[in-house]
Amino acid sequence: MATGSPASARACPGALLLAALCLLAAALAPAPARAAERCNGSRALCARSLDRVVLAGAHNAMSSASLGWQIPNQSVAIPGQLRRGIRALLLDAHYGRRQPDGTVVTDDDGRTTTGKRGRYLCHVACQLGSTSLVEGFRQVRRFVKAHPHNVLVIVVEDYVTPADLVAAAHTSGLTKSVYRGSTRRWPTLRRMIARRQQVVMLAEHHAGAARWYHLAYRGILQETPYTFKTPDLLTDRANFADSCRPNRGGRRGSLFLMNHWSPDVPPPEPDLAASARVNDPRVVVARAQACRRLRGRLPTIVAADQITAGGDAVVAAVRELNRRTPRWR
């Protein structure tokens, strides 16, 4: 009996009619791989290059109330941010020394001598809160390994040497996922995912020690200002033009960071109501469109404080910006 597909025939033992029906059903079934394909949660983004995608970002992503940090910029830690849809992390890396009481003291200038020197994620003063740099990178690696159909960008405000940061990435396993290709012509998310190179690593001050660790503001990343003392400087449309003007990186970078948080120095206790107003999807989308008109492109990263304020408002705004499939240039 010629059935045309031995596997299908085995799945339909018995009569010829049953075998024929099974073959017909198999032929009509959609191909599962491409039908279910999603990149950063959307099938439409798979065919777009990284510089044509908008990513929801967390400013000072390591600074979290859930970890007991003082003056935190976020309510949930990095793993929770990633689960909520954050795909860009703005991190600060410093040297610090752990004290006998367990606290970590910043040691960027080498004057602190107590305790063993290590590499930490902390903001300005490690005394306010800290996480081992290796552990922070390991959290990102775990997420990417468990959710491989996602592409992330990490921008490091770096106060550790490139060699020490690269060593931390190696120890954490993150180097298994770093992007190693061109930063002049970005591949599609589909290709980055297929190559298992889903994490773009950028540094603010110094880079090197590995070909995948790039200097952000030297032709790769351009940005908006990041000092906004009151929320209305971001929420009032009359201020959009000024809030979108070029800052570091000028207009050259193929990736574009829209800094979107206020105030620039957070209060001792997070003002979640003010953050919710700033993170409102209508505000984020309107400001991003204003930046597109001024800068000729939509932001690649929308970076916010308190990304949980207003629910998942920032992620929802980014989803809307991606859904509109805008003209980028």
Side-chain angles (χ1 to χ4, degrees):
M1 177 176 66
T3 62
S5 172
S8 297
R10 287 195 299 269
C12 301
L16 177 61
L17 177 60
L18 288 176
L21 289 174
C22 280
L23 284 172
L24 179 61
L28 295 177
R34 278 299 174 89
E37 180 186 42
R38 289 180 181 274
C39 303
N40 284 26
S42 170
R43 195 178 309 166
L45 298 184
C46 291
R48 295 196 206 174
S49 57
L50 178 61
D51 55 327
R52 299 293 185 268
V53 173
V54 188
L55 306 175
H59 168 237
N60 285 336
M62 70 286 163
S63 173
S64 170
S66 67
L67 298 177
W69 286 47
Q70 300 177 52
I71 320 178
N73 293 91
Q74 304 298 337
S75 296
V76 297
I78 289 172
Q81 295 168 24
L82 295 172
R83 287 194 296 270
R84 284 176 172 268
I86 294 299
R87 295 295 178 264
L89 302 172
L90 276 58
L91 304 173
D92 291 13
H94 292 261
Y95 292 111
R97 294 182 186 267
R98 189 168 296 280
Q99 304 302 294
D101 63 0
T103 61
V104 176
V105 177
T106 308
D107 186 35
D108 287 337
D109 57 11
R111 290 182 297 180
T112 304
T113 58
T114 303
K116 183 179 179 180
R117 198 181 201 217
R119 300 154 298 184
Y120 293 91
L121 293 173
C122 47
H123 183 49
V124 182
C126 292
Q127 298 90 315
L128 301 177
S130 65
T131 299
S132 160
L133 180 59
V134 170
E135 177 55 28
F137 284 167
R138 187 174 288 133
Q139 291 169 358
V140 178
R141 166 61 182 167
R142 287 187 191 124
F143 177 82
V144 173
K145 186 176 179 180
H147 306 86
H149 295 285
N150 288 278
V151 171
L152 286 69
V153 175
I154 296 178
V155 184
V156 184
E157 186 176 337
D158 50 314
Y159 301 97
V160 301
T161 66
D164 280 348
L165 187 135
V166 167
H170 276 294
T171 302
S172 70
L174 184 59
T175 51
K176 297 176 183 177
S177 302
V178 295
Y179 173 68
R180 302 173 185 274
S182 170
T183 58
R184 294 174 179 263
R185 186 178 180 86
W186 295 97
T188 63
L189 298 197
R190 177 185 292 121
R191 178 160 298 214
M192 295 174 74
I193 290 167
R195 292 177 175 176
R196 295 292 189 264
Q197 297 182 13
Q198 306 106 301
V199 183
V200 177
M201 297 290 295
L202 304 176
E204 289 191 8
H205 302 136
H206 307 284
R211 294 183 63 185
W212 48 262
Y213 188 36
H214 304 282
L215 196 57
Y217 296 110
R218 193 71 60 83
I220 297 176
L221 188 66
Q222 55 178 291
E223 66 162 5
T224 68
Y226 51 81
T227 302
F228 304 104
K229 294 188 179 300
T230 57
D232 65 287
L233 294 176
L234 289 173
T235 59
D236 188 341
R237 291 172 181 264
N239 297 321
F240 282 174
D242 185 61
S243 76
C244 290
R245 59 186 168 79
N247 198 32
R248 292 175 297 181
R251 295 174 177 268
R252 293 181 52 205
S254 59
L255 306 183
F256 176 21
L257 166 62
M258 187 174 88
N259 297 306
H260 192 77
W261 62 84
S262 177
D264 57 323
V265 178
E269 295 296 327
D271 188 340
L272 298 181
S275 292
R277 293 195 299 275
V278 171
N279 295 349
D280 187 308
R282 292 167 296 184
V283 171
V284 174
V285 170
R287 183 174 174 229
Q289 296 284 21
C291 287
R292 180 184 67 83
R293 290 190 292 272
L294 180 69
R295 306 287 287 272
R297 59 181 306 108
L298 275 176
T300 315
I301 301 170
V302 176
D305 277 347
Q306 305 299 339
I307 58 96
T308 58
D312 290 318
V314 175
V315 174
V318 165
R319 187 181 302 118
E320 173 63 17
L321 289 168
N322 280 320
R323 187 192 66 80
R324 294 186 181 194
T325 57
R327 288 176 56 193
W328 288 80
R329 294 188 182 278

